[in-house]
Amino acid sequence: GQLAPHPQEFDTLRLILRWSKAGQKNQTIANKLNTRKLRPRSARQWTRFTIRQIVLWHAKSPHVLVGVLGRA
């Protein structure tokens, strides 16, 4: 099966990957998302650990999201 894009989640993922690629620290990214009131799916707020896991997962499997995100 293929990933079905969820607009808000994919916009958030795109921001995370863009900011990470620009060299921003995981805590800075988490703070920005929390300030914008962009909540993670199953937590009250973003943490640097969640951001780290997302960035690492994408680094290991970038092909999974290419069709949905374009070039992140």
Side-chain angles (χ1 to χ4, degrees):
Q2 292 185 339
L3 290 176
H6 183 282
Q8 182 179 350
E9 286 186 1
F10 275 53
D11 288 346
T12 302
L13 180 57
R14 192 176 289 126
L15 285 173
I16 291 169
L17 297 175
R18 182 182 314 138
W19 289 336
S20 178
K21 188 175 181 179
Q24 294 188 27
K25 294 182 179 184
N26 294 337
Q27 186 63 56
T28 302
I29 295 170
N31 291 344
K32 284 182 165 187
L33 294 172
N34 290 328
T35 298
R36 291 180 180 208
K37 307 250 188 271
L38 298 172
R39 300 291 178 231
R41 185 184 303 175
S42 59
R44 291 183 58 187
Q45 64 181 11
W46 292 96
T47 67
R48 67 177 193 237
F49 304 108
T50 306
I51 301 300
R52 180 177 182 272
Q53 288 303 110
I54 290 169
V55 171
L56 288 175
W57 177 79
H58 182 71
K60 290 180 183 179
S61 304
H63 61 282
V64 173
L65 298 175
V66 170
V68 180
L69 290 176
R71 298 186 82 215

